[in-house]
Amino acid sequence: MNRIVSLKWLLARMYESDVVIVDCRFQLGKPDFGREAYEASHIPGAVYLDLEKDLSAPIEEHGGRHPLPDIAQLTGTFSRAGIGNDTRVVAYDDQGGAMASRLWWLLKYLGHEEVYVLDEGFSAWVNAGFPVNAEQRVLIPAQFLATVQHNMLVEMDEVREKLGHEHVTLIDSRDGARYRGEVEPLDKAAGHIPGAINRLWSDGKGAGGKWKSADEQAARFEGLPKDRETIVYCGSGVTACPNVLALQEAGFSNVRLYAGSWSDWISYGDNPISIGNEEQPSKA
C-alpha cells in the first residue's frame, strides 16, 4: 500500500468530498508557529491539528515529552476535524514529514486505513505554484469510530522486558550524536536504550526532500530481518513515526512504536542507559 502521495496526486483530488487535508506544521520551542503559519497560508480546504494541543496529551511524570492522547479525546479531535471512518486523509507539514507522520501513525493506530503523507511538504507545494489561501474551512463534524490496533504500540515495561532479546530489533531514530550520548539538547539524560541501533529518521528523505523509494528505504535497513519484531523510538515518539512508515514501505511486517521513547525511558531512574555505538547487526 502506498503511504506517500505526490503533490500532483493531491492537486488532482483536493476538492473531492471525501478528502480531508490536514496541516500539521509545528516547531519545537515555538508553540504558536504552526497555527500562525496555517492562518497566514495553507493548502485550500486544509484543517489544522497541533502536535502538542491535538496530537499529544499533557506532559506528566512518565509518558515522555509528547504522550499519546487519550483514545476518546483523540477520536473527538478527529471527528470535529471532519474525519470519519470513510474519509481519505492527507497530512502535510514543513518539517520533513515528521509531524505529518505522527498524524498518519495515530490514525493507523485507531484503525483508519485511508491516510497518507504528502511528499515534500508545504514549501514544495508553494514552489510548484499550486494554490494556497488563508480561508478557514467550515468544519462539519463526522463520526469517527476507533478500532484500536494495540499491536502497533509498545510500552516501557515491554521494551525493558525485551532488552537483549535476539528476536527483537530496537531502532533509535535520533541524530547519531544524541544516540551515542555525546550531546543531549532536550532530555535530562544522554545515551540510548541498550541494544538499540541508530537509523536517523531524516535519512528516509532524499537530497531534494522527497521520500525515498521502497527499495531505497530497504537499503537503509539492510541486514535487519523483515519479519522480526521491530521496535522504533526517538526522543518523544514523533520523529520515530517517519521511520515506522519507512520500515513499512521497505516491507517490514511487524513494526511497533515505543511512543514514550527516550524521554519516557529516562523518567524511570532504574532503566539502563548505553553510551556509544552498538554493534551493527550481521546481514541476514
Side-chain angles (χ1 to χ4, degrees):
M1 175 185 173
N2 186 30
R3 300 160 183 86
I4 308 296
V5 296
S6 69
L7 301 176
K8 288 184 178 179
W9 186 97
L10 180 57
L11 182 68
R13 295 167 177 83
M14 58 189 293
Y15 295 113
E16 293 179 4
S17 60
D18 66 331
V19 171
V20 171
I21 305 168
V22 183
D23 187 318
C24 299
R25 284 177 286 174
F26 182 86
Q27 280 191 11
L28 286 175
K30 297 181 179 180
D32 298 324
F33 166 83
R35 167 65 68 177
E36 291 172 356
Y38 167 79
E39 291 177 351
S41 180
H42 53 257
I43 296 176
V47 299
Y48 182 73
L49 291 179
D50 183 273
L51 171 66
E52 295 186 341
K53 295 176 182 176
D54 301 309
L55 306 181
S56 304
I59 296 175
E60 298 182 353
E61 180 183 2
H62 302 298
R65 284 184 281 106
H66 293 108
L68 287 188
D70 174 77
I71 296 298
Q73 178 253 316
L74 188 59
T75 299
T77 295
F78 292 152
S79 296
R80 289 189 296 274
I83 298 171
N85 291 88
D86 296 325
T87 303
R88 287 182 291 165
V89 180
V90 181
Y92 73 86
D93 59 33
D94 230 358
Q95 286 72 45
M99 313 304 163
S101 294
R102 167 77 164 205
L103 176 62
W104 169 86
W105 188 90
L106 287 170
L107 280 165
K108 289 284 189 179
Y109 177 58
L110 297 192
H112 192 79
E113 285 299 316
E114 293 283 321
V115 54
Y116 310 94
V117 172
L118 182 66
D119 202 0
E120 301 180 81
F122 182 72
S123 289
W125 177 274
V126 173
N127 292 338
F130 294 162
V132 296
N133 62 35
E135 298 173 11
Q136 296 198 29
R137 173 176 176 170
V138 176
L139 298 180
I140 302 174
Q143 185 178 43
F144 185 92
L145 300 176
T147 306
V148 181
Q149 306 298 303
H150 295 285
N151 62 316
M152 290 178 57
L153 179 68
V154 60
E155 302 286 357
M156 185 285 295
D157 54 354
E158 188 176 354
V159 175
R160 181 164 178 160
E161 179 184 317
K162 291 179 175 179
L163 290 183
H165 199 296
E166 62 180 4
H167 299 299
V168 176
T169 300
L170 186 59
I171 296 177
D172 186 313
S173 305
R174 298 172 300 161
D175 174 82
R178 292 182 69 195
Y179 162 79
R180 293 187 296 272
E182 297 166 0
V183 298
E184 184 44 68
L186 297 171
D187 293 310
K188 295 179 181 178
H192 60 265
I193 300 174
I197 61 172
N198 186 214
R199 295 291 185 275
L200 177 61
W201 72 273
S202 57
D203 286 345
K205 311 292 287 295
K210 292 177 66 69
W211 285 77
K212 292 180 178 178
S213 68
D215 287 344
E216 290 171 322
Q217 300 290 8
R220 295 176 58 216
F221 305 108
E222 186 177 2
L224 305 179
K226 291 186 177 182
D227 58 349
R228 178 185 293 178
E229 179 180 355
T230 304
I231 297 173
V232 188
Y233 75 93
C234 57
S236 69
V238 177
T239 58
C241 293
N243 257 352
V244 171
L245 190 156
L247 283 156
Q248 292 189 6
E249 288 279 293
F252 285 72
S253 58
N254 186 11
V255 185
R256 308 178 71 192
L257 174 70
Y258 174 22
S261 286
W262 180 248
S263 52
D264 176 60
W265 182 260
I266 61 173
S267 71
Y268 298 87
D270 58 345
N271 275 346
I273 291 174
S274 288
I275 301 293
N277 270 323
E278 297 278 349
E279 182 180 348
Q280 296 302 301
S282 59
K283 293 184 179 181

